[in-house]
Amino acid sequence: MSITVVGTVAFDAIETPFGKVDRCIGGSATYFSVAASFFSSVNLVSVIGDDFTEADAAVFKGRNINLDGLQRIKGEKSFFWSGEYGFDLNIAKTRDTQLNVLAQFQPKLSETQRTADVLFLANAQPELQMDVLAQCKRPRVVALDTMNYWIKTAKASLADAFSKVDLIVINEAEVRQFTQEPNLVKGARQILALGASTLVIKRGEYGVLMITRDAAFAAPAYPLENVFDPTGAGDTFAGGFLGYLASRRETHDRELRRAIIFGSVLASFTVEKFSLDRLREITLGDVLERYQDFRALTHFDDHEM
Ligand code: AMP
């Protein structure tokens, strides 16, 4: 089973209360691809400048990630994002965003990319997300992520995008911002009424709430004591979640719940170090071991559902 992801491959500068890094590898599609590749083969569709070296691209090497869709634009710089966190690591403050190569990004998908079983439209302009979707042969699952900026500046296009996908990955504040509804469950219902069947609400250190038309499932975050840098947690979660789903034949409730736990487990590794430093050093064995820990700690019985 395969996944196509369209999103950013970036350089980030990050400051948390525990440390600071001026240039490290980041980007929504980077975190997503590496996480998803533990379970499925991934087609990465993104754009980089010529500052992204072979050494940087080593983050994708030796994994099940097809880089045919990673376009390089000569003479341009890669997308750059800089952010900081205070002691409340759930709140990222953007210091700087430099679009660089992203300003001219108009992906044209190949046959392999268009025919994947799962499509993940990482945070981007909703029109671009819909242009990509229109190029695909209807995948089994289409999922989308977004951010506060698009809710503020492109709400109508985003509502249209919400109506065309199966699954929306969104954070708690964005549900409230989009719906202007203080109650999260009511807000979730409003968004689902637009067309998607599943809403996965990211709640930072408090975990994830999944709402479907007829069920709700909440999972805590893996109880970590040393969270170092939350950057990429959301995209890593999405990668683990959809990677696991893509590896399964069906997308029924039990698989969705297991997928939530796998997404949370992958994200718990990402936040232990800067960038993808921790994600790069773990094996599938480490992931499965932490999944079992998670089950034991939360009394989550994935057979009884
Ligand atoms: P998250 O999982 O939400 O923490 O996403 C982290 C990654 O998103 C960072 O590595 C950034 O490079 C990337 N990013 C930040 N802002 C944007 C944006 N406006 N569009 C696309 N990607 C972004």
Side-chain angles (χ1 to χ4, degrees):
M1 297 287 178
S2 64
I3 305 190
T4 292
V5 53
V6 183
T8 51
V9 170
F11 288 119
D12 291 344
I14 301 162
E15 186 162 358
T16 82
F18 318 109
K20 184 175 184 293
V21 63
D22 290 331
R23 186 184 196 263
C24 65
I25 296 170
S28 55
T30 314
Y31 285 105
F32 181 94
S33 301
V34 173
S37 70
F38 281 94
F39 304 108
S40 297
S41 61
V42 181
N43 305 305
L44 170 64
V45 179
S46 191
V47 63
I48 47 176
D50 42 21
D51 51 353
F52 200 88
T53 63
E54 278 302 307
D56 295 320
V59 67
F60 303 117
K61 289 272 156 61
R63 300 179 188 278
N64 211 349
I65 302 175
N66 182 326
L67 297 178
D68 291 352
L70 184 60
Q71 187 193 341
R72 185 188 292 277
I73 301 188
K74 288 248 156 60
E76 298 278 344
K77 284 196 203 159
S78 301
F79 176 74
F80 175 78
W81 177 77
S82 168
E84 66 175 281
Y85 305 83
F87 274 103
D88 183 350
L89 293 169
N90 287 332
I91 302 169
K93 184 167 168 250
T94 294
R95 284 179 171 167
D96 191 13
T97 301
Q98 294 170 19
L99 292 180
N100 300 327
V101 287
L102 207 63
Q104 32 180 317
F105 184 45
Q106 283 190 318
K108 293 280 165 273
L109 272 55
S110 70
E111 186 63 15
T112 310
Q113 294 150 6
R114 292 191 309 120
T115 53
D117 306 288
V118 174
L119 172 67
F120 182 62
L121 302 159
N123 171 30
Q125 202 175 342
E127 287 86 356
L128 187 141
Q129 293 177 312
M130 289 307 92
D131 178 66
V132 171
L133 178 58
Q135 295 178 45
C136 290
K137 298 226 174 88
R138 182 70 198 164
R140 183 161 61 92
V141 179
V142 179
L144 166 152
D145 186 14
T146 192
M147 71 184 292
N148 51 7
Y149 180 78
W150 304 119
I151 298 175
K152 201 165 135 201
T153 62
K155 192 168 172 188
S157 325
L158 189 59
D160 179 47
F162 283 170
S163 76
K164 294 187 173 134
V165 302
D166 304 302
L167 203 146
I168 299 166
V169 185
I170 190 166
N171 71 38
E172 186 176 347
E174 291 160 358
V175 174
R176 295 205 170 91
Q177 186 192 353
F178 184 84
T179 60
Q180 297 292 304
E181 165 58 60
N183 181 283
L184 205 54
V185 178
K186 274 193 196 159
R189 297 263 168 252
Q190 277 184 32
I191 295 179
L192 287 179
L194 295 172
S197 62
T198 308
L199 199 66
V200 177
I201 305 172
K202 298 174 284 179
R203 307 181 64 224
E205 66 183 303
Y206 307 112
V208 174
L209 175 63
M210 175 170 67
I211 302 203
T212 60
R213 297 240 168 77
D214 46 21
F217 173 67
Y222 182 81
L224 270 187
E225 291 187 19
N226 51 345
V227 178
F228 190 75
D229 169 24
T231 308
D235 296 305
T236 306
F237 168 83
F241 176 75
L242 290 170
Y244 176 76
L245 275 188
S247 74
R248 312 306 290 177
R249 220 176 280 271
E250 291 170 29
T251 322
H252 51 58
D253 208 44
R254 184 171 65 187
E255 296 301 0
L256 281 169
R257 291 174 187 220
R258 285 183 177 156
I260 292 276
I261 307 297
F262 274 113
S264 305
V265 163
L266 262 311
S268 74
F269 285 110
T270 288
V271 302
E272 286 182 327
K273 289 188 177 176
F274 272 134
S275 185
L276 288 95
D277 292 356
R278 183 75 180 114
L279 209 51
R280 291 174 82 160
E281 58 190 24
I282 60 168
T283 63
L284 181 59
D286 296 321
V287 173
L288 298 176
E289 194 179 314
R290 194 169 277 188
Y291 178 86
Q292 294 308 337
D293 275 359
F294 198 111
R295 282 185 59 201
L297 283 166
T298 59
H299 301 280
F300 171 69
D301 187 339
D302 65 356
H303 295 293
E304 290 281 309
M305 296 182 299

